[in-house]
Amino acid sequence: MIHATARGVDLIVRVIPRAGRSGVAGTRGDALLVRLQAPPVDGVANAELVIVLAAALNVPKRAVSITSGARGRQKRVTIEGVDEATVRARLLDGV
C-alpha cells in the first residue's frame, strides 16, 4: 500500500466517489480507502483526491500527483517530500 521512493512515497488508493463526506476511511485489501464527495466526472474526483491527501498529510497540493489509474477507482498516487513513517502516522493511525 505504501512504498518508499527516492522522491517520497507511492500510495495505492481506492476511491469511493459520491460519498456523504470526503476523507480517509481506512484500508480495503491492499489499498488506502478514500471517500470523495465529488462525482467521477471530468477529473473532479481526482482533483478532490489530491486536496484530501494533501490536507491529511499536511503537504502542498503540488506535492501530490496521480501517477496511474486516473480513470479508475484504484490509483497510484505519488507524494513528494515525505517519508513512509510520516504517511503511516498521518493516514493510518487516526483511522
Side-chain angles (χ1 to χ4, degrees):
M1 171 180 7
I2 302 172
H3 307 284
T5 66
R7 297 182 338 197
V9 296
D10 281 348
L11 294 174
I12 303 298
V13 178
R14 174 124 177 120
V15 297
I16 298 176
R18 293 190 178 113
R21 62 183 171 159
S22 297
V24 177
T27 60
R28 180 174 291 172
D30 208 17
L32 179 71
L33 185 65
V34 180
R35 298 183 188 278
L36 303 172
Q37 284 184 320
V41 179
D42 296 329
V44 176
N46 287 338
E48 186 172 340
L49 175 63
V50 169
I51 292 167
V52 167
L53 289 177
L57 292 168
N58 197 26
V59 297
K61 290 185 289 186
R62 70 179 178 274
V64 180
S65 60
I66 299 171
T67 53
S68 69
R71 299 190 64 116
R73 288 182 184 235
Q74 187 152 322
K75 305 171 186 305
R76 179 177 300 271
V77 179
T78 300
I79 317 289
E80 294 182 12
V82 293
D83 61 7
E84 186 175 348
T86 301
V87 172
R88 284 190 190 281
R90 292 182 182 169
L91 293 181
L92 299 177
D93 288 350
V95 177

